[in-house]
Amino acid sequence: MYVMGKKSAGILGLLLAVVLALTGCVSTPPTESQQPEQNSGQTAQSETPSKETGQGEKVLRVAFGMGETEWKLFHDEILPAFQQETGIKVEAIELKQEDLINNLTAQVESGNLTIDMFAQDVNSLSSLVTRGLVEDLSGYRDRIPDSVIPGMMEAAQFDGKLLFLPYRPNVEIAFYNQKKFEENGLTPPKTWDELLQVAEAFKQKTGQGRVAIKANLQIDNILHMFEFIKAAGGDPYQLNDDGSIQAFTFMQKLYPLLNEQSSTANWDTMNQYLEKDSVYLGQNWPFYIPQFHQNGKEEIQAYSGWAGPVKETHLLGGEVIGIPKGSAKIEEAIQFAEYLMSKPVQELLVSQLAWPAVRSDAYGLVQGYQKPYFEAIKSALDKAEPRGNVPYWADAEKVYLEAFQKAVIDGADVKTTLDEAAQKLEEIRNNQ
């Protein structure tokens, strides 16, 4: 099994020690692209891919969607240490995520690969699999650390085959305004019943809803919908089972008590609503934690969230790594993936970029104000489940949103609405 060399680990350790010494605590610059369902439009670095140098230097060309600050850490620290350890130079190539599937299809069919490795949203893998665009990596299972969180392993497998490698998980946690909760004599809800009570109490005490969910009739609305259904023991792909009916019935009760900004709340605006004190409780991705701190909003704290009648569950987001079918750089790509999954690199990504770790033992450098947030992240990741990749997802999205509009917002009969929606899902499946 490949492991990070002592020399490389020493370099990373020294770098981290310098950072800690300079700051007194670990600083976490913001992630710039962290939104699993909305990663489209991101681009990798603008470097032009180069050929092998002809002097024995190996080059691995990767298509990762990251922001400027994230790439800076990779270029300044991670990639040089990997090259020193292995002799493999990693080059980033520019590719918009929405172009990945068609680009890879053309490359794989022609046999002219210019991408050796790529990262893709864990919930957008179906097309890569059905088109046969990725290598079967089942023979490399022993290169994955035992401490990798189970949800990422589940997301990486299709029909028992390991087609992707764990890389970068993500999960929503519940952010709440501790000061506002204390002023109103309330505590953060941990069950659906408590959530309903808190939402009602805030509305009575302040004259408006202070709890928000992402009810924007867009993709992240479906994310929250799936969590409610699974928390009630339902199957969102069936949609009219008892758990789904219970979830929609609950959301129908909750909706009138929500902050009106729920209709526009997304991965970006939810943070603004929390920061401006218009929303006191709302779920979101953790990328904005450093900004809450830097902006003096220490009263915005976090916990994993609330449980439904069956369980507490969270939708797993993030990215996995794929290797194009027919690649001649499989071993080099596996080495780089293994390096990224190593404990020193994961600790660096956690402490410097506030990325949730792909492994459960990489939070040793988290200090100071970050600790309670990452406790919330770890707790949520322990309960996180992939959404599930289905080939008909693009057509199914509108069915879920129509059901939410009709039953939750307009107040139509839940069972009738979900029976109709389930029939539409079945028709979509049959037409695949």
Side-chain angles (χ1 to χ4, degrees), residues 288-365:
Y288 202 73
I289 290 171
Q291 275 62 49
F292 284 138
H293 178 72
Q294 291 169 14
N295 295 338
K297 296 295 290 184
E298 285 84 0
E299 66 268 31
I300 297 182
Q301 294 295 310
Y303 66 112
S304 64
W306 42 82
V310 172
K311 61 183 177 180
E312 178 181 342
T313 184
H314 302 270
L315 192 70
L316 181 68
E319 294 178 330
V320 290
I321 286 172
I323 301 174
K325 187 77 172 180
S327 172
K329 301 284 186 65
I330 295 178
E331 180 56 36
E332 290 88 342
I334 292 291
Q335 286 188 49
F336 187 48
E338 195 171 8
Y339 184 80
L340 293 175
M341 289 186 283
S342 69
K343 187 175 179 180
V345 173
Q346 285 293 307
E347 287 181 332
L348 188 68
L349 294 170
V350 169
S351 61
Q352 295 297 295
L353 298 179
W355 285 15
V358 76
R359 49 193 295 161
S360 59
D361 59 352
Y363 292 94
L365 295 179

Coordinates of all heavy atoms in Angstrom, one line a residue, residues 288-365:
Y288 N -18.8 28.8 4.8 CA -18.8 30.2 5.2 C -18.4 30.4 6.7 O -18.4 31.5 7.2 CB -20.2 30.8 5.0 CG -20.3 32.3 4.8 CD1 -19.8 32.9 3.7 CD2 -20.8 33.0 5.9 CE1 -19.8 34.3 3.6 CE2 -20.8 34.4 5.8 CZ -20.4 35.1 4.6 OH -20.4 36.4 4.5
I289 N -18.1 29.3 7.3 CA -17.7 29.4 8.7 C -16.6 30.4 9.0 O -16.7 31.2 9.9 CB -17.3 28.0 9.3 CG1 -18.5 27.1 9.3 CG2 -16.6 28.1 10.6 CD1 -18.2 25.6 9.7
P290 N -15.5 30.4 8.2 CA -14.5 31.4 8.5 C -15.0 32.9 8.4 O -14.6 33.8 9.1 CB -13.4 31.1 7.4 CG -13.6 29.7 7.1 CD -15.1 29.5 7.2
Q291 N -16.0 33.1 7.4 CA -16.5 34.4 7.2 C -17.4 34.9 8.4 O -17.3 36.0 8.8 CB -17.3 34.5 5.9 CG -16.5 34.8 4.7 CD -15.5 33.7 4.4 OE1 -15.8 32.5 4.4 NE2 -14.2 34.0 4.2
F292 N -18.1 33.9 8.9 CA -18.9 34.3 10.2 C -17.9 34.8 11.2 O -18.2 35.8 11.9 CB -19.7 33.1 10.7 CG -20.9 32.7 9.9 CD1 -21.2 31.4 9.6 CD2 -21.8 33.7 9.5 CE1 -22.4 31.1 8.9 CE2 -22.9 33.4 8.7 CZ -23.2 32.1 8.4
H293 N -16.8 34.1 11.4 CA -15.9 34.4 12.4 C -15.2 35.8 12.1 O -15.1 36.7 12.9 CB -14.8 33.3 12.5 CG -13.7 33.6 13.5 ND1 -13.9 33.6 14.9 CD2 -12.4 33.9 13.3 CE1 -12.8 33.9 15.5 NE2 -11.9 34.1 14.6
Q294 N -14.7 35.9 10.9 CA -14.0 37.2 10.5 C -15.0 38.4 10.5 O -14.5 39.5 10.8 CB -13.5 37.0 9.1 CG -12.3 36.0 9.0 CD -12.0 35.6 7.5 OE1 -12.4 36.3 6.6 NE2 -11.2 34.6 7.4
N295 N -16.2 38.2 10.3 CA -17.2 39.3 10.3 C -17.8 39.5 11.7 O -18.8 40.3 11.9 CB -18.3 39.0 9.3 CG -17.8 39.0 7.9 OD1 -16.8 39.5 7.6 ND2 -18.6 38.3 7.0
G296 N -17.2 38.9 12.7 CA -17.6 39.1 14.1 C -19.0 38.5 14.5 O -19.6 39.0 15.4
K297 N -19.4 37.5 13.8 CA -20.7 36.9 14.1 C -20.5 35.6 14.9 O -21.0 34.5 14.5 CB -21.5 36.6 12.8 CG -21.8 37.9 12.0 CD -22.8 38.8 12.7 CE -24.2 38.1 12.9 NZ -25.1 39.1 13.5
E298 N -19.8 35.7 16.0 CA -19.5 34.5 16.8 C -20.8 33.9 17.4 O -20.8 32.7 17.8 CB -18.6 34.9 18.0 CG -17.1 35.1 17.6 CD -16.9 36.5 17.1 OE1 -17.8 37.3 17.1 OE2 -15.7 36.8 16.7
E299 N -21.9 34.7 17.4 CA -23.1 34.1 17.9 C -23.8 33.1 17.0 O -24.7 32.4 17.3 CB -24.2 35.2 18.2 CG -24.7 36.0 17.0 CD -23.8 37.2 16.7 OE1 -22.6 37.2 17.0 OE2 -24.4 38.2 16.1
I300 N -23.3 33.1 15.7 CA -23.8 32.0 14.8 C -23.0 30.8 15.0 O -21.9 30.6 14.7 CB -23.7 32.5 13.4 CG1 -24.6 33.7 13.2 CG2 -24.2 31.4 12.4 CD1 -24.6 34.3 11.8
Q301 N -23.7 29.8 15.7 CA -23.1 28.5 16.0 C -23.7 27.4 15.2 O -24.6 27.7 14.3 CB -23.3 28.2 17.5 CG -22.5 29.2 18.4 CD -21.0 29.1 18.2 OE1 -20.4 28.0 18.3 NE2 -20.3 30.2 18.0
A302 N -23.3 26.2 15.4 CA -23.8 25.2 14.5 C -23.9 23.8 15.3 O -23.2 23.6 16.2 CB -22.9 25.0 13.3
Y303 N -24.8 23.0 14.8 CA -24.9 21.6 15.3 C -25.3 20.8 14.1 O -25.6 21.3 13.0 CB -25.8 21.5 16.5 CG -27.3 21.8 16.2 CD1 -28.2 20.7 16.3 CD2 -27.7 23.1 15.9 CE1 -29.6 21.0 16.0 CE2 -29.0 23.3 15.7 CZ -30.0 22.3 15.7 OH -31.3 22.6 15.5
S304 N -25.4 19.5 14.2 CA -25.6 18.6 13.1 C -27.0 18.8 12.5 O -27.2 18.8 11.3 CB -25.4 17.1 13.4 OG -26.3 16.7 14.4
G305 N -28.0 19.0 13.4 CA -29.4 19.2 12.9 C -30.4 18.4 13.7 O -30.2 18.0 14.8
W306 N -31.6 18.2 13.1 CA -32.7 17.6 13.7 C -33.0 16.2 13.1 O -32.7 15.9 12.0 CB -33.9 18.4 13.7 CG -34.1 19.1 12.3 CD1 -34.7 18.5 11.2 CD2 -33.7 20.4 11.9 NE1 -34.6 19.4 10.2 CE2 -34.0 20.5 10.6 CE3 -33.0 21.4 12.6 CZ2 -33.7 21.7 9.8 CZ3 -32.8 22.6 11.9 CH2 -33.1 22.7 10.5
A307 N -33.6 15.3 14.0 CA -34.0 14.0 13.5 C -35.4 14.0 13.2 O -36.2 14.7 13.8 CB -33.6 13.0 14.6
G308 N -35.8 13.1 12.3 CA -37.2 12.9 12.0 C -37.7 11.7 12.8 O -37.0 11.3 13.8
P309 N -38.9 11.2 12.6 CA -39.5 10.2 13.4 C -38.7 8.9 13.3 O -38.8 8.0 14.2 CB -40.9 10.0 12.8 CG -40.9 10.7 11.5 CD -39.8 11.7 11.5
V310 N -37.9 8.7 12.3 CA -37.1 7.4 12.2 C -35.6 7.6 12.5 O -35.0 6.8 13.2 CB -37.3 6.8 10.7 CG1 -36.3 5.6 10.5 CG2 -38.7 6.4 10.5
K311 N -35.0 8.7 12.0 CA -33.6 8.9 12.2 C -33.2 10.3 11.8 O -34.0 11.1 11.2 CB -32.8 7.9 11.3 CG -33.1 8.1 9.8 CD -32.3 7.1 9.0 CE -32.6 7.3 7.5 NZ -31.9 6.3 6.6
E312 N -32.0 10.7 12.2 CA -31.4 11.9 11.7 C -30.5 11.5 10.5 O -29.7 10.6 10.5 CB -30.5 12.6 12.7 CG -29.8 13.8 12.2 CD -28.8 14.5 13.2 OE1 -29.0 14.2 14.5 OE2 -28.0 15.2 12.8
T313 N -30.7 12.2 9.4 CA -29.9 11.9 8.2 C -29.6 13.1 7.5 O -30.3 14.1 7.6 CB -30.7 10.9 7.3 OG1 -29.9 10.5 6.2 CG2 -32.0 11.5 6.8
H314 N -28.5 13.1 6.7 CA -28.1 14.2 5.9 C -27.7 13.7 4.5 O -27.2 12.6 4.4 CB -26.9 14.9 6.6 CG -27.2 15.4 8.0 ND1 -27.7 16.6 8.3 CD2 -27.1 14.7 9.2 CE1 -27.9 16.7 9.6 NE2 -27.5 15.6 10.1
L315 N -27.9 14.6 3.5 CA -27.6 14.2 2.2 C -26.1 14.5 2.0 O -25.6 15.6 2.3 CB -28.4 15.0 1.2 CG -28.3 14.5 -0.3 CD1 -29.0 13.2 -0.4 CD2 -28.8 15.6 -1.2
L316 N -25.4 13.4 1.5 CA -24.0 13.6 1.3 C -23.7 14.3 0.0 O -24.2 14.0 -1.0 CB -23.3 12.2 1.3 CG -21.8 12.2 1.1 CD1 -21.1 12.7 2.3 CD2 -21.3 10.7 0.7
G317 N -22.9 15.4 0.1 CA -22.4 16.1 -1.1 C -20.9 15.9 -1.3 O -20.3 15.1 -0.6
G318 N -20.4 16.7 -2.1 CA -18.9 16.6 -2.3 C -18.5 16.0 -3.7 O -19.4 16.0 -4.6
E319 N -17.3 15.6 -3.8 CA -16.8 15.1 -5.0 C -16.0 13.8 -4.8 O -15.4 13.6 -3.8 CB -15.9 16.1 -5.7 CG -16.6 17.4 -6.1 CD -15.6 18.5 -6.6 OE1 -14.5 18.5 -6.2 OE2 -16.0 19.3 -7.5
V320 N -16.0 13.0 -5.9 CA -15.1 11.8 -5.9 C -14.2 12.0 -7.1 O -14.4 12.8 -8.0 CB -16.0 10.5 -6.1 CG1 -16.7 10.2 -4.8 CG2 -16.9 10.6 -7.3
I321 N -13.2 11.1 -7.2 CA -12.2 11.1 -8.3 C -12.5 10.0 -9.3 O -12.8 8.9 -8.9 CB -10.8 11.0 -7.7 CG1 -10.4 12.3 -7.1 CG2 -9.8 10.6 -8.8 CD1 -9.1 12.2 -6.3
G322 N -12.4 10.3 -10.6 CA -12.6 9.3 -11.6 C -11.4 9.3 -12.5 O -10.6 10.3 -12.6
I323 N -11.1 8.2 -13.1 CA -10.0 8.0 -14.1 C -10.6 7.6 -15.4 O -11.4 6.6 -15.5 CB -9.0 7.0 -13.6 CG1 -8.4 7.4 -12.2 CG2 -7.9 6.8 -14.6 CD1 -7.5 6.4 -11.6
P324 N -10.4 8.4 -16.5 CA -11.0 8.1 -17.8 C -10.7 6.6 -18.3 O -9.6 6.2 -18.1 CB -10.5 9.1 -18.7 CG -10.1 10.2 -17.8 CD -9.6 9.6 -16.5
K325 N -11.7 6.0 -18.9 CA -11.5 4.7 -19.5 C -10.4 4.7 -20.5 O -10.4 5.6 -21.4 CB -12.8 4.3 -20.1 CG -12.8 2.8 -20.6 CD -13.0 1.9 -19.5 CE -13.2 0.5 -20.0 NZ -13.4 -0.5 -18.9
G326 N -9.5 3.8 -20.4 CA -8.4 3.7 -21.4 C -7.2 4.5 -21.0 O -6.2 4.6 -21.8
S327 N -7.2 5.1 -19.8 CA -6.1 6.0 -19.4 C -4.8 5.2 -19.3 O -4.8 4.0 -18.8 CB -6.4 6.6 -18.0 OG -5.2 7.3 -17.5
A328 N -3.7 5.8 -19.7 CA -2.4 5.1 -19.5 C -1.7 5.6 -18.2 O -0.6 5.2 -18.0 CB -1.5 5.5 -20.7
K329 N -2.4 6.4 -17.5 CA -1.8 7.0 -16.2 C -2.6 6.5 -15.0 O -2.7 7.2 -14.0 CB -1.9 8.5 -16.3 CG -1.2 9.1 -17.5 CD 0.3 9.1 -17.3 CE 1.0 9.9 -18.5 NZ 0.7 11.3 -18.5
I330 N -3.1 5.3 -15.0 CA -3.9 4.8 -13.9 C -3.0 4.8 -12.6 O -3.5 5.3 -11.6 CB -4.5 3.4 -14.2 CG1 -5.5 3.5 -15.3 CG2 -5.1 2.9 -12.9 CD1 -6.1 2.2 -15.7
E331 N -1.9 4.2 -12.7 CA -1.0 4.1 -11.5 C -0.7 5.5 -10.9 O -0.7 5.7 -9.7 CB 0.2 3.3 -11.7 CG 1.1 3.1 -10.5 CD 0.4 2.5 -9.3 OE1 -0.5 1.6 -9.5 OE2 0.7 2.9 -8.2
E332 N -0.3 6.4 -11.8 CA 0.0 7.8 -11.3 C -1.2 8.5 -10.7 O -1.1 9.1 -9.7 CB 0.5 8.6 -12.5 CG 1.9 8.2 -13.1 CD 1.8 7.2 -14.1 OE1 0.7 6.5 -14.2 OE2 2.8 7.0 -14.9
A333 N -2.4 8.3 -11.3 CA -3.6 8.8 -10.8 C -4.0 8.2 -9.4 O -4.4 8.9 -8.5 CB -4.8 8.6 -11.7
I334 N -3.8 6.9 -9.3 CA -4.0 6.3 -8.0 C -3.1 6.8 -6.9 O -3.5 7.1 -5.8 CB -3.8 4.7 -8.1 CG1 -5.0 4.1 -9.0 CG2 -3.8 4.1 -6.8 CD1 -6.3 4.2 -8.4
Q335 N -1.9 7.0 -7.3 CA -0.9 7.6 -6.3 C -1.3 9.0 -5.9 O -1.2 9.3 -4.7 CB 0.5 7.6 -6.9 CG 1.2 6.3 -7.1 CD 2.6 6.5 -7.5 OE1 3.4 7.2 -7.0 NE2 3.0 5.7 -8.5
F336 N -1.8 9.8 -6.8 CA -2.2 11.1 -6.4 C -3.5 11.1 -5.6 O -3.6 11.8 -4.6 CB -2.4 12.0 -7.7 CG -2.7 13.4 -7.4 CD1 -1.9 14.1 -6.5 CD2 -3.7 14.1 -8.0 CE1 -2.1 15.5 -6.2 CE2 -4.0 15.5 -7.7 CZ -3.2 16.1 -6.8
A337 N -4.4 10.2 -5.9 CA -5.6 10.1 -5.2 C -5.3 9.6 -3.7 O -5.9 10.1 -2.8 CB -6.6 9.1 -5.8
E338 N -4.4 8.7 -3.7 CA -4.0 8.2 -2.3 C -3.3 9.2 -1.5 O -3.5 9.4 -0.3 CB -3.0 7.0 -2.6 CG -2.8 6.1 -1.3 CD -2.1 4.9 -1.6 OE1 -1.6 4.7 -2.8 OE2 -2.0 4.0 -0.8
Y339 N -2.5 10.1 -2.2 CA -1.9 11.2 -1.5 C -2.9 12.2 -1.0 O -2.8 12.6 0.2 CB -0.9 11.9 -2.5 CG -0.1 13.0 -2.0 CD1 1.1 12.7 -1.2 CD2 -0.5 14.3 -2.2 CE1 1.8 13.8 -0.8 CE2 0.3 15.3 -1.7 CZ 1.5 15.1 -1.0 OH 2.2 16.1 -0.5
L340 N -3.9 12.5 -1.8 CA -4.9 13.4 -1.4 C -5.7 12.8 -0.2 O -6.2 13.6 0.7 CB -5.9 13.7 -2.5 CG -5.3 14.5 -3.7 CD1 -6.3 14.7 -4.8 CD2 -4.8 15.9 -3.2
M341 N -5.9 11.5 -0.1 CA -6.6 10.9 1.0 C -5.8 10.7 2.2 O -6.3 10.3 3.3 CB -7.2 9.5 0.6 CG -8.3 9.6 -0.4 SD -9.0 8.0 -0.7 CE -7.8 7.3 -1.9
S342 N -4.5 11.0 2.1 CA -3.6 10.8 3.3 C -3.9 11.7 4.4 O -4.5 12.8 4.2 CB -2.1 11.0 2.9 OG -1.9 12.3 2.6
K343 N -3.6 11.3 5.6 CA -4.0 12.1 6.8 C -3.3 13.5 6.8 O -4.0 14.5 7.1 CB -3.6 11.3 8.1 CG -4.1 12.0 9.4 CD -3.7 11.1 10.6 CE -4.2 11.8 11.8 NZ -3.9 11.0 13.0
P344 N -2.0 13.6 6.5 CA -1.4 15.0 6.5 C -2.1 15.9 5.5 O -2.3 17.1 5.8 CB 0.0 14.7 6.1 CG 0.3 13.3 6.5 CD -1.0 12.6 6.3
V345 N -2.4 15.5 4.3 CA -3.0 16.3 3.3 C -4.5 16.7 3.7 O -4.9 17.8 3.6 CB -3.0 15.7 1.9 CG1 -3.9 16.5 0.9 CG2 -1.6 15.5 1.4
Q346 N -5.2 15.7 4.2 CA -6.6 16.0 4.7 C -6.6 16.9 5.9 O -7.4 17.8 5.9 CB -7.3 14.7 5.1 CG -7.7 13.8 3.9 CD -8.8 14.5 3.1 OE1 -9.8 14.9 3.6 NE2 -8.5 14.6 1.7
E347 N -5.6 16.8 6.8 CA -5.5 17.8 7.9 C -5.2 19.2 7.3 O -5.8 20.2 7.9 CB -4.5 17.3 8.9 CG -4.9 16.1 9.7 CD -3.8 15.7 10.7 OE1 -2.6 16.0 10.4 OE2 -4.1 15.1 11.7
L348 N -4.4 19.3 6.3 CA -4.1 20.6 5.7 C -5.4 21.2 5.1 O -5.7 22.4 5.3 CB -3.0 20.4 4.7 CG -2.4 21.7 4.1 CD1 -1.6 22.4 5.2 CD2 -1.5 21.3 2.9
L349 N -6.1 20.4 4.4 CA -7.3 20.8 3.7 C -8.4 21.3 4.7 O -9.1 22.3 4.5 CB -7.9 19.8 2.8 CG -7.0 19.4 1.6 CD1 -7.5 18.2 0.9 CD2 -6.9 20.6 0.6
V350 N -8.5 20.5 5.8 CA -9.4 20.9 6.9 C -9.0 22.2 7.5 O -9.9 23.1 7.6 CB -9.5 19.8 7.9 CG1 -10.3 20.3 9.2 CG2 -10.1 18.5 7.4
S351 N -7.8 22.3 7.9 CA -7.4 23.5 8.7 C -7.2 24.7 7.9 O -7.5 25.9 8.3 CB -6.0 23.2 9.4 OG -5.0 22.9 8.5
Q352 N -6.8 24.6 6.6 CA -6.6 25.8 5.8 C -7.8 26.2 4.9 O -7.9 27.4 4.6 CB -5.4 25.5 4.8 CG -4.1 25.3 5.6 CD -3.7 26.6 6.4 OE1 -3.4 27.6 5.8 NE2 -3.7 26.5 7.7
L353 N -8.6 25.2 4.5 CA -9.7 25.5 3.6 C -11.1 25.2 4.2 O -12.1 25.5 3.5 CB -9.5 24.7 2.3 CG -8.3 25.0 1.4 CD1 -8.3 24.2 0.2 CD2 -8.2 26.5 1.1
A354 N -11.1 24.7 5.4 CA -12.3 24.3 6.1 C -13.1 23.3 5.3 O -14.3 23.2 5.4 CB -13.2 25.6 6.3
W355 N -12.4 22.4 4.5 CA -13.0 21.3 3.9 C -13.4 20.2 4.9 O -12.5 19.9 5.7 CB -12.1 20.7 2.8 CG -11.9 21.4 1.6 CD1 -12.2 22.7 1.3 CD2 -11.4 20.9 0.3 NE1 -11.9 23.1 0.0 CE2 -11.4 22.0 -0.6 CE3 -10.9 19.7 0.0 CZ2 -10.9 21.8 -1.9 CZ3 -10.4 19.5 -1.3 CH2 -10.4 20.6 -2.3
P356 N -14.5 19.7 4.9 CA -14.8 18.5 5.7 C -13.8 17.4 5.2 O -13.6 17.2 4.0 CB -16.2 18.1 5.4 CG -16.9 19.4 5.0 CD -15.8 20.2 4.2
A357 N -13.3 16.6 6.1 CA -12.3 15.6 5.8 C -13.0 14.3 5.2 O -14.0 13.9 5.7 CB -11.5 15.2 7.0
V358 N -12.3 13.7 4.3 CA -12.8 12.5 3.7 C -12.5 11.3 4.7 O -13.1 10.2 4.5 CB -12.1 12.2 2.3 CG1 -10.7 11.7 2.5 CG2 -13.0 11.2 1.5
R359 N -11.7 11.5 5.6 CA -11.4 10.5 6.6 C -11.7 11.0 8.0 O -11.6 12.2 8.3 CB -10.0 10.0 6.5 CG -8.9 11.1 6.5 CD -7.6 10.5 6.1 NE -7.0 9.6 7.1 CZ -6.1 8.7 6.8 NH1 -5.5 8.7 5.6 NH2 -5.7 7.9 7.7
S360 N -12.1 10.1 8.9 CA -12.6 10.5 10.2 C -11.5 10.9 11.2 O -11.8 11.4 12.3 CB -13.4 9.4 10.8 OG -12.7 8.2 10.9
D361 N -10.2 10.6 10.8 CA -9.1 10.9 11.8 C -8.3 12.1 11.4 O -7.1 12.2 11.8 CB -8.3 9.6 11.9 CG -7.6 9.2 10.5 OD1 -8.0 9.8 9.5 OD2 -6.8 8.3 10.5
A362 N -8.8 13.0 10.6 CA -8.0 14.1 10.1 C -8.4 15.5 10.7 O -8.4 16.5 10.0 CB -8.1 14.1 8.6
Y363 N -8.9 15.5 11.9 CA -9.3 16.8 12.5 C -8.4 17.2 13.6 O -8.7 18.1 14.4 CB -10.7 16.7 13.0 CG -11.7 16.5 11.9 CD1 -12.2 15.2 11.5 CD2 -12.3 17.6 11.2 CE1 -13.1 15.0 10.5 CE2 -13.2 17.4 10.2 CZ -13.6 16.2 9.8 OH -14.5 16.0 8.8
G364 N -7.2 16.7 13.6 CA -6.2 16.9 14.7 C -5.7 18.4 14.8 O -5.3 18.8 15.8
L365 N -5.8 19.1 13.7 CA -5.2 20.5 13.6 C -6.3 21.5 13.8 O -6.0 22.7 13.8 CB -4.5 20.7 12.3 CG -3.3 19.9 12.1 CD1 -2.7 20.2 10.7 CD2 -2.2 20.1 13.2

